[in-house]
Amino acid sequence: MKADREIIRSANFTADAANFIVAHAQKALGERNEFRIALSGGNTPRPVYAQLATVARDLPWELFRITFGDERCVPPDDPQSNFKMARETLFVPAAVPEKSIMRMRGEIDPQIAAQEYEEQLDVLATQSGEPIYRHDLILLGLGEDGHTASLFPGTAGVEETTRRVIANFVPKFNSWRLTFTFPLINHARHICFLVDAKKHKDLIYRVIDGDPSFPASRVNPSAGGLTWILGQG
């Protein structure tokens, strides 16, 4: 069964995406006094996070629980680090307290880092009486090969059905990545793809239509909503 799906074609991508996140934060805070969001990396969300730091300045950041959908296996001050990008654009400008941020430790052994992150999420889930940690909002991107998070075509992570966070080897980069898996992603209350529609228009609609050759097509929350914000400006 396909999740409830919304496609927003936006001429003002940065503002619309930031406002979308704020609306979900306010809803979750109102209902559960906590907002669980997973951030995506790459260049597309960078201006969105900067905008969010401005428009969400008055939100109670101490009630946020910020995770990462994936991470490169590099130290946190490396230019490739998703954490570094989020820190510079959002965490520092918005003065997000450290206790609200759960960083994937890309600088240690990938298998250990993935296991550690999964266990941290499992502890939080258990404390809330949940079988799997449930995000209020997971932000995802779309790569030109149809990957999302660090679930690349042809990699073992795409077929993972039990683990929630794994180290996934990506042959095209000859490197390991830390990533959420579909069992965790599809357990979210809401998932939002942030995509520059000018980049790969044909791919976007093949993924939306469910072409099984692209990992991103497997994003289908079992009991939640799915939104695509397509930047067309």
Side-chain angles (χ1 to χ4, degrees):
M1 191 173 111
K2 277 285 180 191
D4 291 339
R5 191 175 65 193
E6 176 185 27
I7 300 172
I8 299 171
R9 296 174 178 85
S10 172
N12 195 358
F13 175 77
T14 299
D16 286 346
N19 291 337
F20 180 90
I21 295 167
V22 169
H24 277 265
Q26 291 170 333
K27 181 174 187 287
L29 290 165
E31 292 175 355
R32 289 175 294 280
N33 204 38
E34 181 182 54
F35 179 48
R36 301 172 171 185
I37 180 172
L39 303 183
S40 60
N43 288 318
T44 302
R46 183 186 294 269
V48 176
Y49 298 161
Q51 177 81 356
L52 186 63
T54 300
V55 298
R57 195 175 296 280
D58 295 331
L59 285 179
W61 290 102
E62 70 278 4
L63 299 179
F64 278 55
R65 196 174 295 281
I66 301 170
T67 56
F68 287 82
D70 72 322
E71 183 57 278
R72 282 77 176 261
C73 290
V74 295
D77 56 355
D78 188 283
Q80 290 294 306
S81 166
N82 290 339
F83 170 79
K84 177 181 169 68
M85 186 272 281
R87 184 178 183 278
E88 291 175 349
T89 56
L90 176 59
F91 302 158
V92 171
V96 179
E98 274 190 35
K99 70 179 183 66
S100 295
I101 303 162
M102 286 179 60
R103 180 176 75 82
M104 286 179 164
R105 293 209 292 159
E107 71 274 22
I108 66 172
D109 177 276
Q111 309 295 339
I112 294 173
Q115 183 70 35
E116 177 183 89
Y117 209 75
E118 181 174 89
E119 288 173 357
Q120 288 173 337
L121 293 179
D122 286 350
V123 166
L124 293 172
T126 300
Q127 289 172 352
S128 302
E130 304 167 338
I132 300 178
Y133 184 80
R134 191 170 194 199
H135 287 86
D136 295 304
L137 179 63
I138 294 180
L139 302 178
L140 293 174
L142 178 67
E144 60 186 16
D145 56 1
H147 82 267
T148 194
S150 278
L151 297 166
F152 288 79
T155 60
V158 175
E159 307 303 331
E160 180 62 51
T161 58
T162 54
R163 290 285 305 276
R164 293 163 291 289
V165 183
I166 61 165
N168 195 32
F169 186 73
V170 184
K172 70 185 283 186
F173 300 127
N174 191 32
S175 65
W176 290 90
R177 296 280 187 94
L178 305 175
T179 186
F180 285 3
T181 61
F182 291 122
L184 179 60
I185 291 170
N186 286 328
H187 195 64
R189 290 188 172 88
H190 208 100
I191 297 168
C192 180
F193 278 94
L194 300 176
V195 181
D196 180 350
K198 301 188 297 294
K199 281 185 180 174
H200 22 248
K201 200 171 293 184
D202 293 343
L203 170 67
I204 291 167
Y205 290 102
R206 287 177 67 186
V207 170
I208 288 174
D209 288 341
D211 186 326
S213 61
F214 302 120
S217 297
R218 302 195 190 192
V219 173
N220 183 32
S222 53
L226 175 60
T227 299
W228 287 77
I229 301 180
L230 305 178
Q232 299 182 318

